[in-house]
Structures are given as structure tokens and as C-alpha cells.
Amino acid sequence: MAMAVPGTNGVLGQGAEEQKGETARLASFVGAMAIADLVKTTLGPKGMDKILQSMGRTNDIMVTNDGATILKSLYVDNPAAKVLVDISRVQDDEVGDGTTSVVVLAGELLREAEQLVLQKIHPMTIIAGYRQACEAAKERLELLALNHSSNEDTFRQDLLNIAKTTLSSKILTQDKEHFARLAVDAVLRLKGSSNLESIHIIKKTGGTLKESFLDEGFILDKRIGVGQPKRIENAKILVANTAMDTDKIKIYGARVRVDSMAKVADIEKAEKEKMRAKVENIISQGLNCFVNRQLIYNFPEEIFADAGVMAIEHADFDGIERLALVTGGEIASTFDSPDKLKLGSCKLIEEIMIGEDKLIHFSGWRWGRPAPLSSEEPAERSLHDALCVLQQTVQDSRVIYGGGYPEMQMAKVVEEKAARTPGKKSLAIEAYARALRAIPGTICDNAGLDSAELISQLRAAHAEDDTRMGVDVVLGKAGDMADLGIYECFRVKEQIILSATEASEMILRVDDIIKCAPWQRQEE
């Protein structure tokens, strides 16, 4: 057994530290399990919330049970803990949900591995056993998957069930029926596209969550210029990112000297004429709506109004990117080559009222991009998770039952494999099965149920071949997942198994932690 020592035989620089052997491994286990225990209580539909308080001047407070949000907000010093935070971020980027589950499973795998290491089983033996167990679990998961993509109505019902299951553990659980329908309709309108940027979520105060709706068109949170048309049919839209202030001599350090105020007036007139020519050049492109990323000053706005062109200024960059995408146009910066400009189009642009604010509504194009609306930051995050999971399900239409059902099935198969495996690897495979069962056990614990009793009931139920039993946290007993409509996305569950196994392998391989010496300011 070794200890943390400053430097090693003079090889490392002064101030560097090294942890070796069992000390390094123990530090890795402790850090990773601490992170897993932190988010463990948030797992499942009855998971607890965490209060995240900023230490800045504002002292902002956020109440959430979203694993990705919690881990993203943490500052961790332990390198193994950072591995789990990174795995959670990868899970969020890849499939959009399951961030808490992947960290909890990785933590349980490391907890089991720690006990095996204390029994003098080599980490490489444990890793070999975990790999075999992971393969067996993945094969079983693929056999459990259901695919109803050939039946449109059944597949839509699967999507609704998945959305409701995903939202059950989020802040939107009270309105999950409503938001599940919104999310499914939004994703299906993408017609198989994987670009969720086409779905724009707008948050507005002044209403309830149930008043959220899915709109057919695109909504831009801006105002139409003064004296310009508030409604345009068969719109030709030019989306631009160009300076529309009075053109000045924009060369740093340039200075113009004049000998009279009349010359100043001449310069101002020349600037105005230059801007007039620019605006008239834009209008000559045949458009009737001009959307600009930058400000539009009074003079060009007046010219647009006289020409009957709707001018919208200071649209945020994400807004014009998305607007160009859905209208079929391209963002322009110069207007001297009309053949290179690509105008967008839609059937109708009008000003609408949502809550207490006026917004601009674009509708009627062949792409049919949706724009659901929500009203709170955590609500947007919850809805985004549901949209990500649904988009993954549309791409890979396989679904599985939820509520701990797949974990119990995989644990059963992994235990059978352990019984057929000779040597110490069988102990690691058995440990993998116990870690899998910890997921439904944690769901029970977080719901205030007797996890030992319920897991025993589920083990007995899963001894039968044709069972669909999982944890029913509402009634506090084992229930049929098909009857309860608890479904999960196959891709999410598969990614959880693979990522958690990979993270535990990575941490198990560690036998040396070297902390570099802090940078020292050089005295002059």
C-alpha cells in the first residue's frame, strides 16, 4: 500500500503529488461513489429535488432533480468524479436522457468492484467479467425490444408512453399527458429529421403550463417597425446580418477635418444617400419582409415603411438561423449580386399576442416546422429531454418496458452466465447483476417503498418466462408494465449500460494519480 508523496525520487517537479497503488484506487472509488450517491436520490418518478445555490453576487437558487443540470453545476476536484460527470454529459449529448441512471449504475458497479478488490481479485479480472456481463446484458436487451414501426397508430402510442414515462420524473409530471402530446406531435412533424433545432421552445410569463401549445409555424420574439404593415400574405423574406445604421467612416483612428458647418451637413447628406442607396438595393430584390440580425436605425426604417416592407430588427442569431432554415432562405450580408441571394418564403406573417407580449408569427410553408411554447426554465429542460428521447425513438423505433423491468431481466441473464463461468471472473459477473438490480431498488427507496420486499417479488416474477413485471411506484407494488403504459426508449437504455460499464472500466484501471505542481508566477 502506498501514500500520497510530494514528488517521486526527484522525477516530479516540486509541488507535484502522486498517489499510487491501493491509495489511488481507493481515492478513485470514493470520489466516483460520492458523485453517484449525490444524484442517486433524484432517480425515478418519486425522486427528490436538489437546491443549487450560486455563490456569486446574485445568489441564484435553482430547484431541480435533473441529473445533467446538477452535475453540470458542480465543481469537482476528484479525477474519478470528473469521469462520471463527463459520462453524464456524453449521455445527455448522445440520447438526451438517462443522465442520472448512467451515473448511479456506474457508481454501483464501482461499489461492487471495491468489494472484489478487497477480496484480492485483480482489477483486470473484474474488468474481463464486467465486459462479458455487459455483452450478455446487451444481447438480452435486444431480445426484449419491441418494434411497432410498421403500425403507425401503435407506434404513436409507444411514443406517447415513452414521453409520459420520461416526463414522470420531471417538473412537468403534473401535466405530462398534455406535454407528451405536444412533444410527440412536434417530433412527428419533423418527418424523420434528426435536427431538433427546428423545434423552437419559447418561454413566456403570464400563463399556466397547461396553456402551452404547439404552433404550426415559426414565432419570432420581436416587434415590427413603426408605421410598417402588421400582416403580410405570400411573404418574400430576406434574412440578413448587416449594419443598418447611418454608414460612418469605420476606420479606427480616421478623422475628417472640415472648415465649416456646411461641410459637416454635406458629409451627413452623403452618409444618408449612401444608406438610401443600400436600402433601395435591398428593396429591389423583390422582398416584402426584411429580418436583420443588427439594429435598423430610424432613417432606413422610414424608407422600408414608405416602400411597404416589413422590417424586423435585432433578431437574435439563433432566431435568424432557425428562420432561414424553416423558410428556405439564406442569411445575406451583401446585396450587390441579386443572383446569389436566396429569399425565404411563407404564406403569412402577422403579429400575435401571447400572455402580455406581442410576437411575430410566420406560417404556411412546405417544411411544416413546429414551435412548441413553454413558460419556465426547468419546464423547457424537461420538455427538451422528452423531445431528445422521442427523436431517438423515431430513428431507432425499438422500445422496451420500463419500471426496472429490463434491469431485472438483464440481471437474471447475467447471473445465469455467472453460473456457467469458471474462475474468479464469475464473481465479477455476479457483482454486475447486483449492480443492475440496484436501479429498481433505488427507484423503490426514493418512493419510500420497501426495496428488499419489492425486489424479491420481482425476482420471483422474473423466474417465469413471459413476465412484464416492474415497479409500480404509485400503488407501491410490482405491476404489469404493459398495462401501466410504462415504456422506455431502447437506445437510451442501451447507452446507459454501455456508458456505465465503460466508465467503471476506466476508473478500475487507475493505479496512479499524479497531480501536477501548480503554476508559479515568475519574479522579474
Side-chain angles (χ1 to χ4, degrees), residues 6 100 118 198 262 290 313 351 370 381 389 441 458 494 511-512:
T100 305
L118 292 176
S198 301
F290 179 69
E313 66 172 359
E351 199 170 56
R381 171 73 203 179
V389 173
L458 287 177
E494 182 186 45
D511 72 340
D512 205 342

Side-chain angles (χ1 to χ4, degrees), residues 134-328:
C134 181
E135 283 299 318
K138 186 181 172 187
E139 288 172 10
R140 183 59 180 167
L141 197 63
E142 289 174 349
L143 289 174
L144 295 174
L146 309 170
N147 194 336
H148 298 139
S149 57
S150 57
N151 188 325
E152 190 174 326
D153 293 336
T154 309
F155 184 57
R156 179 183 170 81
Q157 188 58 47
D158 285 348
L159 292 177
L160 282 169
N161 287 330
I162 288 171
K164 285 189 283 188
T165 303
T166 303
L167 294 171
S168 290
S169 60
K170 313 289 183 185
I171 195 172
L172 297 176
T173 183
Q174 301 299 325
D175 302 308
K176 65 181 180 183
E177 296 275 351
H178 177 62
F179 279 97
R181 283 195 299 273
L182 291 186
V184 171
D185 288 343
V187 169
L188 289 178
R189 283 185 194 173
L190 294 181
K191 296 181 173 61
S193 169
S194 61
N195 187 7
L196 287 180
E197 289 293 317
S198 301
I199 300 177
H200 186 201
I201 301 174
I202 298 177
K203 306 178 292 294
K204 284 294 169 188
T205 54
T208 64
L209 284 172
K210 274 196 172 178
E211 291 176 20
S212 302
F213 65 93
L214 179 68
D215 193 82
E216 292 284 349
F218 180 87
I219 294 175
L220 191 63
D221 191 2
K222 290 295 167 187
R223 296 285 186 92
I224 297 170
V226 178
Q228 294 169 1
K230 305 296 183 187
R231 177 186 170 93
I232 291 180
E233 295 183 2
N234 298 319
K236 298 292 183 184
I237 306 162
L238 177 59
V239 184
N241 183 13
T242 187
M244 295 301 290
D245 51 353
T246 304
D247 281 359
K248 298 180 177 63
I249 301 173
K250 295 177 181 175
I251 303 173
Y252 182 74
R255 184 179 297 176
V256 179
R257 293 182 181 275
V258 293
D259 53 12
S260 69
M261 290 303 295
K263 296 289 179 64
V264 174
D266 290 343
I267 292 172
E268 288 180 350
K269 184 179 179 183
E271 288 174 346
K272 273 194 169 186
E273 290 303 318
K274 188 175 180 183
M275 176 52 67
R276 185 189 297 277
K278 182 175 183 178
V279 175
E280 287 175 351
N281 190 14
I282 292 171
I283 295 171
S284 68
Q285 310 299 327
L287 57 97
N288 51 16
C289 177
F290 179 69
V291 183
N292 192 29
R293 167 72 181 82
Q294 302 179 41
L295 288 171
I296 301 176
Y297 278 39
N298 293 343
F299 180 64
E301 191 175 67
E302 181 184 328
I303 301 173
F304 280 125
D306 292 341
V309 173
M310 179 188 291
I312 303 165
E313 66 172 359
H314 217 210
D316 60 277
F317 196 76
D318 286 344
I320 64 167
E321 284 273 353
R322 197 176 281 113
L323 182 62
L325 171 69
V326 299
T327 57

Side-chain angles (χ1 to χ4, degrees), residues 44-45 101 141 144-146 158 161-162 164-166 168 399-410 439-440 443 458 462 467-473 477-490 492-493 496:
S101 299
L141 197 63
L144 295 174
L146 309 170
D158 285 348
N161 287 330
I162 288 171
K164 285 189 283 188
T165 303
T166 303
S168 290
V399 300
I400 53 173
Y401 299 121
Y405 166 83
E407 284 83 4
M408 295 302 295
Q409 283 284 318
M410 288 187 288
I439 298 291
I443 293 172
L458 287 177
H462 283 264
T467 184
R468 300 178 299 194
M469 302 300 281
V471 180
D472 181 356
V473 294
K477 62 178 186 179
D480 189 308
M481 295 294 100
D483 294 342
L484 294 171
I486 300 175
Y487 288 73
E488 291 187 47
C489 173
F490 171 82
V492 171
K493 190 62 69 176
I496 288 171

Side-chain angles (χ1 to χ4, degrees), residues 496-510:
I496 288 171
I497 300 297
L498 296 176
S499 296
T501 308
E502 182 183 345
S504 58
E505 275 188 34
M506 197 183 303
I507 294 169
L508 267 169
R509 286 176 179 273
V510 172

